[in-house]
Amino acid sequence: MNSLLLIATWAVPLAMLAACLSPRVRARMPALLGLAPLPGLAAALLAHDAAPLVLDDSRLNLTFSLDPIAAVLLGAASLLWMIAGIYARSYMGKGPNAARFAQWWLLTMCGSLGVFVAGDLLTFYTAFAIVSLAAWGLVAHDDTPPARRAGVLYIGLAVFGEVCLLLAFALLAAYAPGSSIAIQDVVAALPENPARHYIIGLLITGFGLKAGLLPLHVWLPIAHPAAPMPASAVLSGAIIKAGVIGLILFLPLDPGLTGWGTALTVIGLLTAFYAVLVGITQQNPKTVLAYSSVSQMGGVATVLGMGLATGNASATMAAAFLAAHHVLIKGALFLSVGVAAHSGGRRDWTLVLPAGLLALALGGLPLTGGALAKLAAKTPLGDGLVATLVTVAAAGSTLLMLHFLFRLADTRAGSPVARAKAGLLIPWLLMAFLAVALPWALAPTLVGVTAAQSLVPKALWAAAWPVLLGSVLVLALRRFGAALPRVPEGDILVLGSVTARAGRVIANVIERVERRLCDWPTAGVSLLVLTLLIGAALFAGSTLFR
């Protein structure tokens, strides 16, 4: 029975989307968004040790499964989708565009949660395609020039990532033993696959793009400021984890692939430091958070890279725990920006204290989930140069998050006496509480880190000094930051002005299409067509992947 929850993780959001064909249901759907992730949350709690569920017939072979590593990320992502959905009800209001937003939200959620319960190449690719393509509707929802520009960039890179993964999956299936396309079977055969180096390069490119790794990170700092606040929360907290789970599932811990492990480690470290350097030049708090997400995903990639380079199996759960912590923290911090934007000049503890604690937790502040996550990563990172660089990167994370807090303090509503509605404030506080409490509850079971270990003087100092260093650096930033260059959102992409000019004609065409798609019933029909095309791809792809 628990295995049926894996199908419900997909089916419930899709059923709710189909119900939007009724105008009456469509108008009420924004108030129901918090219900759609419940099967995913139940699956994470109850089905993480259930037997895989295989739907097999002469045309189609689909496998749904959930291992403990994927369950960690599924549970965290489901919580964020649920709370952000409740938050979205108040944030989006009852305007004419709220129903359209809800439909894109449901389709994107289906793919975002679906990647965690996919057990074969075809099912995984379908879920990944859904989350990648449907998220455009969240990025471009506001239909402003920045939103349209962000939508153009996002969909272009998303298609590029999909092509990379399609090629990789086709090569995996072509050389798989027998007719099985189960993920565990094709990955087990990857070290002996004659095309293994091409496959791993394509996998790191496709999944690294979604996770925000350098140099394909550019969609994040452009998409986040353009999207509505609840959409930014799930984009940064949950959607980029589709890339993380892909790297975890498809990169084998094999001694013959140490070179790729080293390459992923280097990419991760470069991403972690580069994002901090660009992030501290930003003024929009949402953009600062976007670069923080890029930096944090660089840290996750470093842990996975070291696991791949050394064959250390503990790296996968450590990376999953680190990523799940990021889901909760970053989701909560994006919601805090929305609360600040609806509040007047006065700041009270319901915003300042939780936001400050969560921000410093990303840097590994002692007695927080961030410190536990850093302890969990200690084993795969070892005691050498990489571990030292990751610790220094934690100081950079502290600097960037303190910079975010200053930017958050400058965010306020037009009226000095305005106060955020309970529909925004309560979900934000609930998300903040879960981000603090859940890592402590789960760390002993998942990664073997106990409260006692984190209270050892050596561990306290190891967690404290990067935060102290980051705090000193932020004072220097406040003093001399005005002299820093103002790097535009999207950094290397925007700086490539020649490429931008060459794509302007295409962008204008896509923008006109986007404006048309923003109208109902066109948007509803487009969603239905997209869903039907994805369903047709299941049947067409079953021949390719067998």
Side-chain angles (χ1 to χ4, degrees):
M1 182 62 70
N2 288 343
S3 297
L4 295 178
L5 290 172
L6 306 181
I7 296 181
T9 300
W10 291 63
V12 169
L14 288 179
M16 294 174 67
L17 176 61
C20 289
L21 292 174
S22 164
R24 178 176 297 181
V25 175
R26 185 167 64 246
R28 297 180 179 178
M29 190 55 68
L32 304 176
L33 294 180
L35 301 177
L38 290 178
L41 181 58
L45 296 174
L46 303 174
H48 56 84
D49 56 354
L53 181 62
V54 180
L55 304 180
D56 191 8
D57 61 30
S58 59
R59 289 290 309 277
L60 199 60
N61 188 331
L62 302 180
T63 303
F64 299 90
S65 63
L66 184 66
D67 63 23
I69 293 173
V72 172
L73 290 170
L74 174 61
S78 297
L79 280 172
L80 176 55
W81 277 104
M82 181 176 66
I83 295 173
I86 298 170
Y87 182 98
R89 177 183 181 181
S90 291
Y91 189 89
M92 302 304 298
K94 298 181 179 180
N97 295 330
R100 173 166 52 86
F101 176 85
Q103 294 165 79
W104 288 112
W105 180 276
L106 289 169
L107 189 58
T108 307
M109 182 197 305
C110 172
S112 172
L113 302 184
V115 294
F116 301 118
V117 299
D120 64 87
L121 293 179
L122 181 55
T123 310
F124 187 94
Y125 186 80
T126 301
F128 198 90
I130 292 174
V131 67
S132 294
L133 301 179
W136 166 84
L138 300 180
V139 173
H141 172 79
D142 285 345
D143 197 32
T144 61
R148 293 194 293 270
R149 171 174 169 265
V152 170
L153 170 67
Y154 175 82
I155 202 67
L157 288 177
V159 170
F160 172 71
E162 292 298 319
V163 170
C164 290
L165 292 181
L166 181 62
L167 292 173
F169 284 13
L171 290 171
L172 281 170
Y175 293 101
S179 60
S180 174
I181 58 169
I183 293 175
Q184 60 181 4
D185 293 336
V186 297
V187 172
L190 180 55
E192 305 302 323
N193 192 317
R196 59 187 176 276
H197 295 301
Y198 298 105
I199 293 171
I200 294 176
L202 289 167
L203 290 173
I204 290 178
T205 301
F207 290 133
L209 187 156
K210 182 60 64 182
L213 300 184
L214 193 72
L216 300 174
H217 66 287
V218 291
W219 68 271
L220 275 162
I222 292 179
H224 282 51
M229 204 66 67
S232 294
V234 295
L235 278 167
S236 182
I239 292 175
I240 63 174
K241 302 311 182 295
V244 173
I245 192 61
L247 292 172
I248 289 175
L249 291 178
F250 285 92
L251 295 182
L253 299 176
D254 185 89
L257 300 173
T258 56
W260 281 108
T262 301
L264 184 58
T265 300
V266 172
I267 293 171
L269 288 171
L270 289 174
T271 301
F273 284 100
Y274 176 83
V276 170
L277 293 176
V278 178
I280 60 176
T281 70
Q282 306 300 313
Q283 302 304 307
N284 186 332
K286 292 177 70 177
T287 310
V288 176
L289 287 179
Y291 278 106
S292 171
S293 290
V294 173
S295 181
Q296 292 293 314
M297 291 306 98
V300 172
T302 302
V303 173
L304 288 173
M306 287 298 290
L308 183 60
T310 62
N312 191 326
S314 68
T316 53
M317 182 57 85
F321 186 79
L322 192 63
H325 179 255
H326 179 265
V327 171
L328 301 172
I329 294 283
K330 195 54 62 70
L333 288 176
F334 267 105
L335 299 186
S336 78
V337 179
V339 173
H342 287 79
S343 303
R346 187 171 64 88
R347 293 285 181 265
D348 58 27
W349 67 270
T350 58
L351 179 65
V352 176
L353 291 182
L357 178 61
L358 296 177
L360 293 177
L362 278 181
L365 180 72
L367 306 181
T368 67
L372 298 176
K374 298 296 189 296
L375 278 175
K378 183 175 176 59
T379 299
L381 290 175
D383 298 317
L385 176 62
V386 172
T388 301
L389 290 174
V390 169
T391 304
V392 175
S397 291
T398 301
L399 167 64
L400 188 56
M401 295 315 299
L402 288 173
H403 176 59
F404 159 74
L405 290 176
F406 282 112
R407 301 279 63 79
L408 182 67
D410 292 335
T411 302
R412 62 194 65 194
S415 171
V417 296
R419 292 185 64 85
K421 296 181 291 187
L424 301 180
L425 191 59
I426 293 175
W428 140 244
L429 290 175
L430 176 58
M431 197 71 222
F433 170 77
L434 292 174
V436 172
L438 282 181
W440 285 97
L442 298 176
T445 302
L446 297 179
V447 290
V449 176
T450 63
Q453 290 174 290
S454 68
L455 295 175
V456 174
K458 183 179 180 180
L460 287 172
W461 173 244
W465 77 258
V467 176
L468 294 174
L469 176 58
S471 301
V472 172
L473 291 175
V474 82
L475 296 178
L477 179 64
R478 296 289 291 174
R479 177 66 177 83
F480 303 106
L484 293 176
R486 289 292 175 258
V487 180
E489 297 170 349
D491 50 277
I492 59 176
L493 179 76
V494 176
L495 295 176
S497 57
V498 174
T499 302
R501 286 195 299 269
R504 191 166 297 162
V505 174
I506 298 175
N508 289 335
V509 173
I510 295 177
E511 285 178 12
R512 287 196 293 270
V513 174
E514 287 179 328
R515 284 194 292 269
R516 176 61 178 156
L517 288 175
C518 286
D519 298 325
W520 178 268
T522 306
V525 173
S526 301
L527 281 172
L528 183 59
V529 169
L530 178 59
T531 304
L532 292 174
L533 287 175
I534 290 169
L538 286 173
F539 290 93
S542 63
T543 303
L544 176 64
F545 291 139
R546 295 187 74 165

